[in-house]
Amino acid sequence: MKNKAVFLDRDGVICRDVNYCRRTDDFELLPTVPQAIKLLNDHNFLTIVITNQSGIARGYLTHEMLSDIHKKMTDELATFNARIDDILYCPHHPDEECDCRKPGTALFEQAIREHAINVQASFMIGDRQKDIDAGKTAGCRMIFVTTGPDNRGKNPTKADYTAINLLDAVNWILR
Ligand SMILES: [Mg+2]
Ligand SMILES: [Zn+2]
């Protein structure tokens, strides 16, 4: 039997979007995120972060610094007994035209393969149109959250639901 998953964008969904998070001090979980992720854990959804981190290609931070930021994320979530099952990121510059930067789907395909995911039973939650486009192309249902920096009031095309925060999104999945 295959696994079901919720793919999560990071910036503007899990943490505040600070326009290139470069230091652990820049990383701040958004409200309701620990409860929302714990709910997904408790309902046997894999939680997989898929994030564009072109700050690496731009020279703003290294893989090691990003790893420290992600350790802070998982450590903070662990204090709420919430767990991220995998983190996949694209380090490339948009000009490189790689397949892994969203709206590309290479990281989704990698996760689906490595975690034996049933994509039709899975969801993607993001705060930008390119998240929705990537999730839709990968074949999952798509939720838009309005916790990003410039998305308030916008309702992007192809989203199956628009949520006010991650907990609202998760409650819709579990409805
Ligand atoms: Mg985002
Ligand atoms: Zn890439």
Side-chain angles (χ1 to χ4, degrees):
M1 203 171 92
K2 286 197 165 186
N3 297 304
K4 55 188 180 175
V6 174
F7 301 105
L8 299 152
D9 177 44
R10 195 195 78 183
D11 300 322
V13 175
I14 292 176
C15 61
R16 205 157 62 83
D17 188 329
V18 294
N19 195 23
Y20 302 111
C21 176
R22 301 161 204 223
R23 291 169 291 270
T24 52
D25 286 351
D26 294 337
F27 183 90
E28 183 191 332
L29 284 178
L30 287 169
T32 82
V33 166
Q35 304 95 296
I37 290 178
K38 182 164 189 325
L39 262 177
L40 291 174
N41 299 152
D42 291 346
H43 286 82
N44 297 317
F45 277 94
L46 293 174
T47 54
I48 298 176
V49 173
I50 295 187
T51 176
N52 290 348
Q53 293 298 326
S54 71
I56 291 180
R58 296 173 202 271
Y60 298 161
L61 78 170
T62 63
H63 290 274
E64 290 71 27
M65 290 153 78
L66 184 63
S67 166
D68 288 345
I69 289 163
H70 287 162
K71 182 173 188 317
K72 179 178 179 182
M73 172 172 73
T74 52
D75 284 352
E76 284 194 5
L77 288 170
T79 67
F80 296 89
N81 292 317
R83 183 190 73 249
I84 298 285
D85 292 299
D86 205 354
I87 303 170
L88 302 174
Y89 64 88
C90 164
H92 304 118
H93 192 279
D95 292 348
E96 293 179 67
E97 297 184 359
C98 65
D99 295 327
C100 53
R101 180 179 168 83
K102 293 174 287 185
T105 55
L107 296 180
F108 288 81
E109 286 149 20
Q110 182 186 338
I112 288 163
R113 197 170 57 239
E114 291 180 352
H115 295 279
I117 289 165
N118 173 1
V119 74
Q120 280 95 15
S122 298
F123 298 82
M124 164 76 194
I125 304 174
D127 72 318
R128 295 193 192 261
Q129 183 70 52
K130 61 190 167 203
D131 298 315
I132 282 105
D133 292 343
K136 278 284 162 181
T137 306
C140 39
R141 274 171 288 173
M142 190 56 230
I143 302 166
F144 177 74
V145 288
T146 56
T147 44
D150 55 17
N151 287 311
R152 285 177 200 285
K154 283 193 205 164
N155 192 4
T157 55
K158 293 191 281 183
D160 294 293
Y161 179 65
T162 296
I164 57 167
N165 57 38
L166 192 60
L167 186 58
D168 183 23
V170 168
N171 282 331
W172 185 80
I173 290 170
L174 302 176
R175 74 202 181 283

